[in-house]
């Protein structure tokens, strides 16, 4: 099995995360990557995963001189349409068309109609709704880290999105990400879920077309390396992992054959929706990173949105649970929730480090 000691491993393998990194932490990850490539055997433990999932914003303030970089996981549909984000040989490459594939393909094209498999819908959820609103609860690391996500998304002609993260116990909002169709507002608290709020504005985002990537979504290249291509919606709401579950879909793909190997074990109602239940065993790498052995998804049969995700250990005990508590599709939205105007009392923090490959 190919191990991908790269930035992509951090993204695909750890989807339950904030996406903001200090420059110092990025350098630390690069040193970790180099160490693994040289065979020294160091690795990121679950303690690091917990820190990522809880948010890395405290480090931003402590290392304020470095600034931050917002690493977009899936800037999939840029100005030219299709995929402008390629995973190749374990490294993120921002370069237009996918390299010529060989071997088994996993290509997914834009499809409609009742016969589209739920797996394909998971890779292309934005094709099956215009607006979605709701909330979900996350409990990970056996309940040691809990938070709630509230969201509103519009993938229509004038896209927009808002998602807030709230502490699972105090219900205090500790992060907000809003996109009004032109710019994106990010707000976080200084010390993880405490302290004063600070914000910055992303005003150099590419306009996304909403079209699917032009090439296959997962495949082996001519050198036998596994490649994965997720897809971002026009609303720039990629951080909503249950709404845009490409990475969870990739977890079901056998890395030797590059074919999905999940089992559909039934269907049933969930929040007044029909859910398709998918189950399977995590591969060795993912099992180690998540501290779990098996996954179980309750997937909305119509849209591919995940309504509930459960990771369990060898004894069948829950390790991570992500569960929608409410969800509504294709209802009118109040665009005021997409506002990118900072609130009174927020402190602006300029972004001193910008990635030109991400922010053109």
């Amino acid at each position: 099995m190919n191990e991908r000691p790269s930035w992509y491993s951090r993204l695909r393998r750890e989807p339950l995360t904030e996406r903001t990194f200090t420059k110092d932490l990025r350098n630390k990850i690069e040193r970790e990557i180099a160490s693994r490539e040289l065979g020294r055997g160091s690795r990121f433990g679950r303690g690091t995963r917990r820190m990522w999932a809880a948010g890395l914003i405290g480090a931003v303030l402590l290392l304020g001189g470095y600034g931050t970089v917002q690493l977009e996981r899936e800037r999939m549909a840029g100005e030219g349409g299709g995929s402008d984000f390629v995973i190749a040989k374990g490294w993120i490459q921002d370069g237009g068309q996918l390299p010529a594939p060989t071997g088994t393909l996993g290509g997914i094209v834009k499809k409609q109609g009742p016969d589209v498999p739920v797996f394909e819908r998971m890779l292309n959820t934005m094709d099956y709704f215009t607006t979605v609103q709701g909330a979900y609860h996350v409990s990970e690391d056996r309940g040691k880290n809990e938070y709630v996500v509230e969201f509103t998304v519009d993938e229509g002609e004038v896209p927009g999105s808002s998602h807030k993260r709230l502490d699972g116990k105090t219900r205090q909002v500790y992060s907000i990400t809003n996109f009004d169709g032109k710019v994106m507002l990010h707000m976080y608290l200084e010390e993880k879920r405490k302290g004063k709020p600070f914000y910055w504005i992303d005003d150099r985002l590419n306009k996304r077309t909403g079209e699917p990537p032009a090439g296959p979504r997962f495949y082996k290249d001519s050198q036998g390396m596994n490649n994965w291509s997720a897809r971002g919606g026009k609303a720039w709401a990629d951080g909503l992992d249950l709404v845009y579950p490409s990475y969870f879909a990739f977890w079901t793909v056998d890395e030797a054959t590059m074919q999905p190997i999940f089992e559909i074990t039934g269907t049933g109602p969930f929040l007044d929706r029909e859910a398709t239940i998918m189950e399977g065993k995590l591969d060795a790498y993912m099992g180690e990173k998540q501290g779990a052995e098996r996954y179980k998804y309750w997937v909305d049969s119509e849209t591919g949105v995940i309504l509930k995700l459960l990771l369990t250990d060898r004894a069948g005990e829950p390790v991570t649970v992500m569960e929608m508590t409410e969800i509504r599709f294709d209802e009118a939205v109040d665009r005021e929730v997409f506002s990118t105007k900072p609130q009174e009392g927020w402190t602006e923090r300029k972004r001193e480090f910008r990635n030109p490959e991400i922010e053109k």
Side-chain angles (χ1 to χ4, degrees):
M1 179 183 300
N2 287 325
E3 182 177 344
R4 293 176 297 279
S6 68
W7 277 104
Y8 179 62
S9 293
R10 304 298 175 251
L11 302 182
R12 182 205 167 202
R13 296 290 182 170
E14 305 294 346
L16 313 180
T17 63
E18 306 287 354
R19 301 304 176 193
T20 303
F21 299 85
T22 63
K23 188 175 181 180
D24 185 67
L25 182 58
R26 189 185 71 159
N27 291 338
K28 180 180 178 180
I29 293 174
E30 289 176 341
R31 289 194 298 271
E32 166 69 15
I33 292 169
S35 174
R36 294 184 72 165
E37 288 179 336
L38 291 173
R40 291 198 286 264
S42 65
R43 62 181 176 82
F44 269 50
R46 289 190 292 276
T48 302
R49 178 173 62 84
R50 290 197 300 270
M51 180 180 71
W52 282 38
L56 300 173
I57 306 308
V60 172
L61 264 289
L62 294 175
L63 300 170
Y66 285 107
T68 63
V69 54
Q70 180 75 12
L71 185 61
E72 298 295 341
R73 295 174 304 163
E74 313 170 43
R75 189 168 59 82
M76 307 311 302
E79 295 170 328
S83 174
D84 62 355
F85 182 94
V86 180
I87 304 301
K89 301 179 182 178
W91 292 95
I92 294 178
Q93 300 179 356
D94 197 1
Q97 297 299 314
L98 293 165
T102 61
T104 302
L105 301 184
I108 304 296
V109 299
K110 185 174 181 178
K111 297 179 181 179
Q112 296 285 352
D115 297 329
V116 179
V118 68
F119 175 81
E120 296 190 16
R121 293 175 189 263
M122 291 175 68
L123 296 181
N124 300 282
T125 57
M126 63 286 293
D127 288 344
Y128 303 101
F129 63 81
T130 301
T131 69
V132 59
Q133 304 169 73
Y136 57 88
H137 180 266
V138 178
S139 173
E140 56 181 353
D141 201 11
R142 304 177 189 274
K144 294 179 181 178
N145 180 47
E146 295 190 25
Y147 59 93
V148 173
V149 178
E150 297 178 350
F151 61 90
T152 302
V153 177
D154 188 341
E155 289 280 4
E157 294 183 4
V158 184
S161 63
S162 173
H163 75 268
K164 300 178 182 179
R165 294 203 176 199
L166 299 80
D167 186 276
K169 297 179 180 179
T170 67
R171 305 292 291 187
Q172 179 181 19
V173 176
Y174 67 90
S175 77
I176 297 174
T177 303
N178 283 0
F179 175 62
D180 65 5
K182 295 181 180 179
V183 302
M184 186 176 290
L185 166 75
H186 304 269
M187 185 284 288
Y188 292 95
L189 299 186
E190 284 183 343
E191 300 175 5
K192 294 186 178 178
R193 302 181 187 181
K194 304 176 183 178
K196 298 180 180 179
F198 70 94
Y199 75 93
W200 71 92
I201 301 289
D202 280 335
D203 56 3
R204 304 172 71 178
L205 302 173
N206 284 347
K207 182 179 180 180
R208 289 174 166 177
T209 66
E211 292 300 311
R217 302 294 293 274
F218 49 92
Y219 63 95
K220 288 184 181 291
D221 64 20
S222 58
Q223 298 186 27
M225 297 296 293
N226 297 338
N227 295 257
W228 314 88
S229 178
R231 176 185 176 190
K234 294 186 295 182
W236 283 88
D238 308 337
L240 297 171
D241 299 302
L242 295 187
V243 177
Y244 301 94
S246 292
Y247 289 96
F248 294 132
F250 292 152
W251 284 9
T252 73
V253 176
D254 179 78
E255 297 193 3
T257 64
M258 294 304 282
Q259 294 295 323
I261 57 172
F262 59 85
E263 180 182 3
I264 293 181
T265 57
T267 60
F270 196 106
L271 292 178
D272 296 324
R273 308 283 299 182
E274 180 190 83
T276 298
I277 302 171
M278 300 169 57
E279 299 188 54
K281 185 176 180 179
L282 297 170
D283 64 39
Y285 187 96
M286 177 62 76
E288 178 187 3
K289 299 301 289 185
Q290 299 295 335
E293 183 166 287
R294 295 189 62 82
Y295 63 84
K296 186 174 183 179
Y297 305 154
W298 287 255
V299 183
D300 184 65
S301 301
E302 181 180 352
T303 66
V305 170
I306 292 182
L307 302 174
K308 181 178 179 180
L309 173 149
L310 173 65
L311 302 183
T312 54
D313 61 18
R314 184 171 299 178
E317 295 297 319
V319 176
T320 297
V321 182
M322 304 177 71
E323 183 172 357
M324 291 283 182
T325 55
E326 60 175 302
I327 191 164
R328 306 186 307 278
F329 291 100
D330 295 330
E331 295 184 4
V333 300
D334 178 6
R335 293 192 63 85
E336 287 296 319
V337 301
F338 303 151
S339 173
T340 54
K341 181 179 179 180
Q343 297 180 18
E344 184 176 352
W346 293 4
T347 301
E348 183 176 11
R349 187 160 296 274
K350 296 290 187 180
R351 298 179 65 197
E352 299 178 9
F353 178 84
R354 292 183 180 270
N355 186 333
E357 290 302 312
I358 291 178
E359 297 178 292
K360 294 182 179 179

